């Protein structure tokens, strides 16, 4: 008999978001009349820009004509889109030949893990988006779970807490480690400063590390002093890969379109360009993003599309401000709750002292009929926190805030 991949056996728990969905279903089954509002999973809710949707619709209709039909796309994505991404987001910091179009940042992260293999040491922010650790476990890079259930033996967890301003102690990272870093961060919402990213890049270059920089929420950064890309920092081209996505700013969570940037200056220890192997991985493991989605991506990056994406992001940031204001209310303040929201990301990260994350999740679901996301699902340092997502219809967010404002906390 063929043996099971031990990586799946090492996974210590179900993936966080399906578990949240399961508990929600169970609650609804027991309380069918409960008017549930979700501030949990970070799924966009507002309609696509008419301008962007029309570009995809026109492309799809043209497929029914001899002149407009297209089959397989370019190996690494539309040449026009690759160059447009380089021109709009990187402005001389990367060129189109270093941009690889994909079906989203999460999918790129999973494929990147196959690029580095199962013997790679990894370090992650704690808390962190679960795919960094879970994907590493599947490919064998994270080892077995710790006996106390606090993580995996092969993972260096980098606590990011209010006490260290959500930026980790880099000295805990061993040389030649793959570092997963997300800014603006999911789930904490913290955004690294230029000085902090400079420290990260300098550390990576000095210690032979490679940074997988998840910039999926970069469009939410409103503070002009904060870098929107790791490549704004000198030295990043020799130590970093960046992944990004149209999912949140353009509402493409279901359309699926993203990209990675792999600089030609980045090399393995034997001198092989990482860009070369990534190109091989993409052509071997992936058949390309939808041509229809790529037409939407091009429209998103013209003048109208950029205006539309900014308006969409502003809408969600306004939702986040409403949630933050509610969590600063007397009922939460008296219970010692502290809510963190920077205005540069879509999440509010709130700590409930003396309570477990799942306990807070259950309390808010039962008393307010509002779904959140337990912080412990993002890593050991997330215990006692919950994440509130700003993705939602304004009327739903306002109603959720009214319910939360009436919540009694002991």
């Amino acid at each position: 008999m063929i043996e099971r991949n031990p990586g799946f056996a090492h996974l210590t728990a179900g993936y966080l978001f399906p578990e949240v969905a399961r508990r929600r279903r169970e609650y609804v089954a027991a309380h069918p009349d409960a008017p549930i509002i979700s501030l949990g999973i970070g799924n966009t809710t507002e309609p696509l820009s008419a301008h962007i949707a029309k570009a995809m619709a026109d492309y799809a209709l043209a497929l029914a004509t001899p002149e407009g039909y297209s089959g397989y796309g370019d190996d690494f994505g539309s040449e026009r889109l690759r160059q447009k991404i380089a021109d709009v987001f990187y402005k001389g910091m990367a060129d189109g030949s270093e941009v690889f179009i994909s079906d989203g940042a999460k999918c790129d992260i999973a494929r990147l893990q196959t690029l580095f293999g199962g013997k790679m040491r990894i370090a992650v922010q704690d808390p962190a988006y679960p795919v960094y650790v879970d994907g590493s476990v599947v490919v064998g890079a994270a080892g077995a779970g710790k006996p106390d259930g606090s993580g995996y033996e092969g993972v260096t967890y980098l606590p990011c807490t209010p006490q260290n301003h959500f930026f980790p102690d880099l000295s805990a990272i061993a040389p030649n480690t793959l570092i997963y870093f997300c800014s603006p961060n999911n789930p904490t919402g913290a955004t690294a400063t230029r000085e902090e990213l400079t420290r990260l890049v300098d550390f990576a270059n000095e210690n032979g590390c490679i940074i997988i920089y998840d910039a999926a929420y970069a469009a939410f950064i409103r503070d002009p002093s904060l870098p929107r890309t790791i490549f704004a920092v000198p030295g990043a081209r020799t130590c970093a890969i960046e992944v990004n996505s149209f999912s949140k700013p353009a509402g493409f969570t279901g359309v699926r379109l993203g990209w990675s940037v792999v600089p030609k200056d980045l090399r393995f220890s034997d001198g092989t360009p990482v860009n070369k192997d990534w190109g091989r991985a993409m052509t071997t493991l992936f058949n390309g993003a939808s041509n229809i989605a790529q037409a939407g991506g091009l429209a998103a990056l013209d003048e109208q599309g950029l205006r539309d994406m900014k308006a969409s992001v502003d809408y969600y940031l306004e939702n986040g401000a409403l949630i933050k204001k509610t969590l600063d209310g007397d009922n939460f303040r008296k219970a010692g709750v502290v809510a963190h929201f920077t205005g540069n990301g879509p999440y509010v990260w709130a700590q409930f002292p003396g309570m477990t994350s799942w306990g807070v999740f259950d309390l808010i679901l039962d008393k307010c009929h509002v779904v959140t996301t337990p912080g412990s699902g993002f890593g050991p340092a997330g215990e006692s926190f919950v994440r509130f997502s700003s993705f939602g219809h304004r009327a739903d967010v306002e109603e959720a805030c009214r319910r939360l404002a009436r919540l009694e906390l002991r």
Side-chain angles (χ1 to χ4, degrees):
M1 295 291 288
I2 294 175
E3 294 184 0
R4 182 188 185 196
N5 175 354
F8 284 96
H10 288 159
L11 288 169
T12 58
Y15 191 63
L16 172 61
F17 300 111
E19 176 64 15
V20 169
R22 183 189 69 79
R23 292 191 182 211
R24 171 179 172 162
R25 287 194 301 271
E26 289 183 353
Y27 187 85
V28 170
H31 307 84
D33 297 325
I36 301 295
I37 295 174
S38 179
L39 300 180
I41 296 175
N43 192 8
T44 51
T45 58
E46 300 314 292
L48 294 181
S49 150
H51 170 73
I52 297 171
K54 183 178 184 302
M56 290 190 285
D58 289 348
Y59 190 97
L61 288 171
L63 292 173
T65 69
E67 300 79 17
Y69 177 73
S70 61
Y72 289 123
D74 298 326
D75 284 345
F76 305 135
S78 158
E79 294 290 343
R80 287 181 59 207
L81 180 58
R82 296 173 73 194
Q83 190 57 51
K84 190 69 172 177
I85 287 172
D87 292 343
V88 171
F89 294 119
Y90 300 101
K91 301 183 189 306
M93 294 175 279
D95 64 46
S97 67
E98 298 171 316
V99 176
F100 297 79
I101 307 301
S102 72
D103 50 348
K106 180 179 179 181
C107 304
D108 267 345
I109 290 165
R111 283 185 287 264
L112 281 165
Q113 288 165 331
T114 66
L115 178 66
F116 292 100
K119 296 182 179 180
M120 190 75 236
R121 282 192 294 260
I122 71 166
V124 298
Q125 291 165 290
D126 175 20
Y129 187 45
V131 73
Y132 308 147
V133 171
D134 288 3
S136 299
V137 172
V138 170
V139 300
K146 295 179 180 179
D148 62 0
S150 63
Y152 292 90
E153 298 289 352
V155 179
T156 298
Y157 293 88
L158 307 171
C160 295
T161 66
Q163 288 69 39
N164 62 13
H165 304 286
F166 299 104
F167 188 82
D169 176 7
L170 301 178
S171 68
I173 305 172
N176 308 315
T177 291
L178 195 63
I179 305 170
Y180 289 92
F181 196 93
C182 179
S183 179
N185 182 266
N186 179 11
T188 68
T191 305
T193 65
R194 186 175 299 275
E195 185 273 335
E196 288 169 337
L197 289 183
T198 299
R199 284 159 51 195
L200 176 65
V201 165
D202 289 348
F203 178 90
N205 279 319
E206 291 166 6
N207 290 275
C209 299
I210 290 179
I211 303 161
I212 306 298
Y213 188 79
D214 186 348
Y217 298 99
F220 288 80
I221 296 175
R222 290 293 177 263
D223 183 341
S225 72
L226 299 174
R228 287 192 171 194
T229 170
I230 189 73
F231 299 118
V233 176
R237 287 182 55 85
T238 56
C239 68
I241 294 170
E242 182 166 300
V243 296
N244 208 322
S245 171
F246 288 94
S247 286
K248 299 310 193 293
F252 275 25
T253 50
V255 175
R256 309 305 308 152
L257 188 66
W259 69 91
S260 58
V261 179
V262 185
K264 293 175 182 176
D265 301 346
L266 180 63
R267 296 179 180 271
F268 291 109
S269 60
D270 67 356
T272 302
V274 177
N275 181 288
K276 177 183 176 182
D277 281 6
W278 183 234
R280 177 59 187 270
M282 289 293 279
T283 53
T284 301
L285 303 175
F286 182 52
N287 244 11
S290 160
N291 292 340
I292 298 171
Q294 292 187 73
L298 278 167
L301 297 180
D302 66 21
E303 289 186 10
Q304 182 61 53
L306 290 170
R307 285 195 295 270
D308 292 346
M309 287 199 294
K310 181 181 183 301
S312 177
V313 169
D314 286 346
Y315 180 93
Y316 293 126
L317 287 174
E318 290 165 5
N319 283 348
L322 290 173
I323 297 167
K324 162 67 170 168
K325 182 178 180 181
T326 300
L327 296 176
D328 287 341
D330 287 347
N331 56 330
F332 291 99
R333 181 176 50 79
K334 290 176 181 177
V337 174
V338 179
H340 302 273
F341 177 69
T342 64
N344 296 296
Y347 299 118
V348 181
W349 184 240
Q351 185 171 23
F352 290 71
M355 300 183 68
T356 67
S357 295
W358 281 108
V360 178
F361 172 91
D362 289 336
L363 174 68
I364 293 177
L365 179 59
D366 185 47
K367 301 300 183 182
C368 302
H369 300 148
V370 171
V371 176
T372 59
T373 306
S376 58
F378 296 98
E383 185 59 272
S384 83
F385 288 85
V386 294
R387 189 193 75 176
F388 293 82
S389 170
S390 68
F391 296 107
H393 301 307
R394 181 62 50 78
D396 288 341
V397 171
E398 290 173 340
E399 173 59 22
C401 288
R402 283 190 286 270
R403 297 178 192 176
L404 289 165
R406 296 192 294 266
L407 179 65
E408 294 184 5
L409 293 165
R410 296 183 180 85

